[in-house]
Amino acid sequence: MTRYVTASITKKKTEGVLPVMEGTMGPDAVDITSMYSQQGILAFDPGFRSTASCQSAITFVDGEKGILLYRGYPIEQLAEKASYLEVVYLLMFGELPTQEEMDIFRQRVTHFNMLHEQVLDFYKGFRRDAHPMAVMVGVVGALSAFYHDHMDINDPEQRINAAIRLVAKMPMIAASSYNYNIGAPHRYPRNALGYGANFLHMMFGMPSEDYVVEPVLARAMESIFILHADHEQNASTSTVRLAASSGANPFACIAAGIASLWGPAHGGANEAVLSMLGEIGSVKNIPKAIARAKDKNDSFRLMGFGHRVYKNFDPRSRVIQKTAREVLDYLGTDDPMLEIAMRLEEIALSDEYFIERKLYPNVDFYSGILLKAMKFPTTMFTAIFALARTSGWVSQWLELHNQGNHGIDRPRQLYVGKPTRDYPNK
Ligand code: ACO
């Protein structure tokens, strides 16, 4: 049922009636699409704090209550019980797969999991010390050159193929960025292994000997991938949708998403958390760090704290904290960073500044400690996030195209530059 609100626009002395759209959960949205044509006025919302950019049936976040659902299923249940590929299927197609559907889907992913040998040549063009995210932006973008001519985005089956290709190739793309970085040979996937285990094999195995993937680590890997798979219309997902709205090649769209994810305010935060914990160095230095985070004249922020949407615990941070603890116990790692992180969390959560602003630990606060314990170098943290988020990006890309063409996404602006003036006579 459509409800209507009256919008009073005082400057133009007009009153308009705008429809209100209702979702299945979460806040309603005023439909302002006809506001400019009818009232001649634009909505101003830099940072999109009050803007729903699309309709989506994939992921639901309630930031006040700390709830995250993929297709209606709570993230905690999926992280504990599902495999990552099951979650990818759920995100892409809307329902959990039957055993037969899962078998076929796994086969399709496996079929596409290698990289064209010429794609591997791309790596040689990068400096050895290139950041894996820089390499991934380049290599994923380059895939559009390999699959452009026979990629018709108006064909739903070809769209699904492109989406599966991206999910399938991302582990080798990410692992190869690391292997190139350390001068190791590229590692090929092993089809008998699960998605998470395969990534560990390509990261840490050597062609000269068998690499046995430890089940605890494989499960932790799957859980990390599930927790990072989708998060509704965040910066990188919105970037993918914006790029896709012009009909761009899917590989180019995902490369744009990777670029957006790289920033320290988004996916780059887990890397930043670890360097922050390293800088703090010891529990006794925590009060100084808290004071700096609160000082408006200091640009220092407590990395891994705060979220645009969550004004409560990020539900992913609780799961990842538990997994980090389990993995550290299993490996017998005594990481002083974990102690600093837990003490920092405790102090920040009882501090008025953080309470008032509803700043809670986000998923990145513990993911860095977990990934470090699993022997991933810091520079791979965001690359792993990008690998996992690819399933969300392709699902959102599929949804956008399945919804039909709503035209190119083209925000307007409030112009504050010079008014019209004439070029001077010289
Ligand atoms: N440390 C100290 N103060 C903070 C922090 C922080 N981590 N985060 C927000 N604040 C303060 C701001 O200074 C501001 O204070 P004010 O009202 O006195 O001016 C208030 O809290 C609101 O902050 P905003 O910047 O308006 O919040 P916004 O929603 O724009 O930012 C963001 C969210 C970018 C995540 C921010 O909290 C941040 O920079 N956190 C650290 C980086 C981080 O962990 N990013 C990962 C996000 S999760 C993800 O991408 C998976």
Side-chain angles (χ1 to χ4, degrees), residues 213-356:
V213 183
E214 294 176 67
V216 173
L217 301 188
R219 184 60 222 163
M221 199 73 253
E222 295 266 323
S223 178
I224 291 167
F225 289 160
I226 291 168
L227 294 175
H228 289 85
D230 197 46
H231 209 240
E232 56 121 299
Q233 308 310 317
N234 55 81
S236 57
T237 303
S238 298
T239 303
V240 170
R241 277 192 177 251
L242 195 74
S245 75
S246 73
N249 181 291
F251 298 94
C253 296
I254 302 306
I258 297 171
S260 168
L261 184 76
W262 193 1
H266 193 5
N270 53 12
E271 198 175 326
V273 169
L274 224 60
S275 33
M276 175 192 76
L277 293 176
E279 247 176 67
I280 294 175
S282 138
V283 170
K284 71 175 188 333
N285 296 328
I286 292 177
K288 208 160 70 194
I290 299 262
R292 279 191 67 197
K294 288 160 45 174
D295 181 357
K296 289 287 158 221
N297 298 317
D298 192 329
S299 61
F300 177 82
R301 278 191 162 191
L302 223 49
M303 299 314 287
F305 266 77
H307 197 277
R308 171 58 63 82
V309 182
Y310 291 117
K311 302 303 168 197
N312 198 326
F313 258 92
D314 177 340
R316 301 168 298 177
S317 69
R318 290 191 195 278
V319 179
I320 215 149
Q321 184 199 35
K322 184 167 165 272
T323 311
R325 180 51 78 214
E326 281 163 12
V327 167
L328 262 72
D329 283 352
Y330 173 78
L331 296 173
T333 315
D334 188 17
D335 188 346
M337 292 227 188
L338 184 65
E339 199 202 331
I340 299 174
M342 293 186 76
R343 191 77 191 108
L344 189 64
E345 178 187 312
E346 201 183 308
I347 295 173
L349 289 179
S350 58
D351 188 295
E352 223 19 70
Y353 174 95
F354 292 86
I355 295 169
E356 247 175 42

Side-chain angles (χ1 to χ4, degrees), residues 28-92:
D28 299 340
V30 180
D31 179 355
I32 58 164
T33 43
S34 63
M35 197 169 80
Y36 178 64
S37 60
Q38 286 179 12
Q39 312 290 339
I41 199 153
L42 298 171
F44 181 67
D45 184 20
F48 307 116
R49 287 171 193 266
S50 297
T51 296
S53 62
C54 63
Q55 286 190 53
S56 182
I58 301 175
T59 294
F60 175 76
V61 179
D62 183 331
E64 294 298 327
K65 294 194 184 122
I67 292 172
L68 169 60
L69 311 174
Y70 292 166
R71 301 282 190 185
Y73 294 103
I75 190 66
E76 296 86 347
Q77 293 179 23
L78 292 170
E80 192 192 332
K81 296 177 184 160
S83 72
Y84 177 66
L85 281 188
E86 222 179 329
V87 171
V88 177
Y89 186 99
L90 174 71
L91 290 171
M92 279 175 66

